[in-house]
Amino acid sequence: MADEPQKKPHLSALVGHTNGLTKPASLAATGTRSTGGGGGGATASSKKLVIKNFRERPKLPDNYTQDTWQKLHEAVGAIQSSISIKYNLEELYQAVENLCSYKVSATLYKQLRQVCEEHVKAQILQFREDSLDSLLFLKKINKCWQDHCRQMIMIRSIFLFLDRTYVLQNSVLPSIWDMGLELFRNHIISDKQVQTKTIDGILLLIERERNGEAVDRSLLRSLLSMLSDLQVYKESFEQRFLEETNCLYAAEGQRLMQEREVPEYLHHVNKRLEEEGDRVITYLDHSTQKPLIACVEKQLLGEHLSAILQKGLDSLLDENRIPDLTQTYQLFSRVKGGQQILLQHWSEYIKNFGTTIVVNPEKDKDMVQELLDFKDKVDHIIEVCFQKNEKFINLMKESFETFINKRPNKPAELIAKYVDSKLRAGNKEATDEELERILDKIMIIFRFIHGKDVFEAFYKKDLAKRLLVGKSASVDAEKSMLSKLKHECGAAFTSKLEGMFKDMELSKDVMVQFKQYMQNQSDPGNIDLTVNILTMGYWPTYTPMEVHLNSEMIKLQEVFKTFYLGKHSGRKLQWQTTLGHAVLKAEFKEGKKEFQVSLFQTLVLLMFNEGDEFSFEEIKMATGVGFLQASSSFEVKDSSGKVCIIADLTVAFSVEYKNNGQKEFVHFFLPQNASVDSQSSCGKDNASHPVLVLDFGAGHSLTLNFSESADKYQVEELVFHYNLSDATLFPNSTTGEVKTVSQKSIIQAHMGTKYRCINSKHINMKNVNVTFSNVTLEAYLTNGTFSVNKTECAEDKVSTTTVVPTTPKRTTSQVPTTNPTPTSSPSNPAVGKYNVTGPNGTCVLAYMGLQLNITYQKKDEKMGLDLLNFIPRNTTSSGRCDNTSALLNLTFEKTNVIFQFALNSSAEKFFLQGVNVSTILSPEAKNPEFKASKNNMSELRASVGNSYKCSSEENLQVTDQAFVNVFNVQIQIFKIDGDKFGPVEECQLDENNMLIPIIVGAALAGLVLIVLIAYLIGRKRSHAGYQTI
């Protein structure tokens, strides 16, 4: 083989064919075999095949390059025309490789680029047509792009060897794929008309989709991917897209803020953000996400932060709309400064809402419960909606501290009284565990108040009463509360309170010894006496009062005195009768009864064993009880002797003062011997106004300054001067100065009417509480005596009993002015039974008598009053309920009353949240069709599973003109067992009525047996000295 006469060129593709398009033939190595002739044996040998390089490089056949390019050109043309290729792709690939091997790569690349460029240039013509609508244009350019990509992929696969050798080695040259992109960008997309129509069309499709239309998202995805691949996405599309998005959402935000409520608007914002996020995922380039979302947030949220909160935050918080508040927090957290402005409005809401609870004296009864409910509510919102954000927690605490101290001392006093109500025996609202949780909540509110010393004073007073009267519900609960106070305020704060408990324990030991002592007496008597001996410094200060005890009581006091001083010589006992207590056994015709009454009440009631009727003065003289206070009457006359002011009233004072550095409270009444001071005056036209000045005691005075405005007169200012040097009222006062306190606008009445207020009206001033009761008062008198017509205070509701009518009686009366009181009224309404059935059975069960009380303006501009009793048999009821609310709808004749009940889930209590009233008034009414509603009430409250019961009349104020009066009500909402009420929770009015009052002039016959348990308060010192009992 080495001696071959001729060597073949090293061009495998040329073997057999000169066009270079045939696959190379395989080279075969052959062996030869020789056969020997002797010995019958045969031998075989093989020869090696040796291949050597050509001595010189083979030359291309003539026209090879041209012919090969021609075939390649045809193949490219077939691909661009989408027709079949006549040649095998592998042969085409080999041909490109052969051309590249012979240094024609540059020419080949140039020729290929030229062919592709000519084809791309030709495509532009189809986009010059103006008749194409936007969608067809987009589909056409998308098809052109898809075809171009497919063609370039096929072309690159044929010219792959060129792309991976020559092009790769020349960094200035784009790859075949990039060349295709460059050509398409330069000749198609960079065309101004094409680009404009493409971008306009894409933006139009996106706009339609934003407006709710269905669009071809795959078309958008393909076109935007094209722009991204061609590297014109940002400059040609994104900038315009963001500008139009900005304009769209700016206009939409302005419009929808006017049209929609806040929850609906925020839901829309959230929906828009989700939609734009989905667009990024589906067809927009990922780089657009951040500026796009920022644009939406800015225009729909950032520009309206204050407006959103001002318009809707309060209502969301009032209605406790947890999902909407959660969404608000999440959305505001996305925007720069959003959380900060939400914090500010959150704080303002807490302060404003809390202030309405604290500063309104009419809400004092429910202040603490409302504060606890409000605290539970905001805690729940912070936990669920605000993700326990520390900033919201801290600002909530600051806000609570701010509003709760806007009314000094009163919250502290009411918190102490609330604790007393929970720790007092008879409180069946809570188990021990629930009571512990309530006390923990109370301590949270307690931390916010500044007047902790005021709390201590009232708490000590109430604790003393619970301990002395044996009304403490649980010693463990008392000590738990004491431990909480000690942990919060330190040992010094609770040292006296702890001393009170020690005294009670020591007193028990003393009484055990006293009982043994009494057993050894020859005449132990019929009265069982219990005495508590108390250390002076631990207990509240009580003013001693001498009363006239009967002989048996006095004898027993002396026995105890002998016993005690025999064990503790050198001490002086002082009996505290003000806290004495007794159990009276009485016999009536109907049977025996037991009364639990105070010592003073005992003395009065015992008098009726001796007679059937006593005057007030007789009772006062016989008992020596000095605080039985009747009303005092005062008059002011002008220079001619004409009366201009009459005041018949009872006034009680409660004053806080310093006793050797310790705060003390003293209570006293305006005495009957108080005198009208010479400074009292009827006033002179516009120069001065009427004034009533009452002097009493050692330098004390009470001044009522009157004024008039339009058709009303009022006590413009109440002024109280008290002299701390008066040792009778203020023993051991640290200072002897005269103090002055005042309060504006406490009483108001219509001109020509007397002001009437039977119930107590409390006036709170610095360190002083003044309580008016049984008040009849009138200024600017014209005839020297009280007017016939009267203006009643809000605390009073007059109901005159008459014969029960057999048909509904509607009483209409004429009164002189607004807020009148009727001169007569129907009898109490009959009690009806009403219920509402829900998905889970009975959800509303109610027994009550119902009365409607409406003040209206008549056609003659005078005022009228309509009273209507509902007759149960003629009343239809309906309603509905769900898990958190219930509605009771009662219709009688043309009158409809709707009661709306709600559930406080955190406190597990139901309550009356709102009342809607509609009726047709008397024809004489100026507007006969009457409607009124109130939706922020908190009445008829009881624990879920229990029923609310009140035998007393309750007046539910809907507006100034409308009251709904309920009688003998028992009602239960949720968790009702069939048609049976759960355990009863009595109303406060009934609890108050359970106290046996001292009835002056009434006869109480049949008192025959007396068992007296006198709780005598003692004061003791650690060394020999005085001790008060």
Side-chain angles (χ1 to χ4, degrees), residues 281-323:
I281 295 172
T282 306
Y283 54 77
L284 293 172
D285 189 83
H286 184 72
S287 64
T288 307
Q289 180 176 11
K290 188 174 181 179
L292 172 61
I293 298 302
C295 175
V296 179
E297 291 172 347
K298 179 178 183 296
Q299 295 302 334
L300 294 184
L301 285 173
E303 297 294 331
H304 307 285
L305 292 176
S306 294
I308 291 171
L309 297 178
Q310 290 171 1
K311 183 177 181 181
L313 180 63
D314 285 4
S315 62
L316 296 184
L317 291 168
D318 286 341
E319 298 166 17
N320 206 28
R321 299 175 66 164
I322 299 299

Side-chain angles (χ1 to χ4, degrees), residues 852 854 895-898 915-919 930-933 958 964:
L852 197 61
I854 297 177
T895 301
N896 177 246
V897 178
I898 300 174
V915 175
N916 294 310
V917 175
S918 61
T919 188
F930 181 87
K931 290 184 179 180
S933 64
V958 183
V964 175

Side-chain angles (χ1 to χ4, degrees), residues 32-43:
T32 59
R33 179 179 297 175
S34 301
T35 305
T43 61

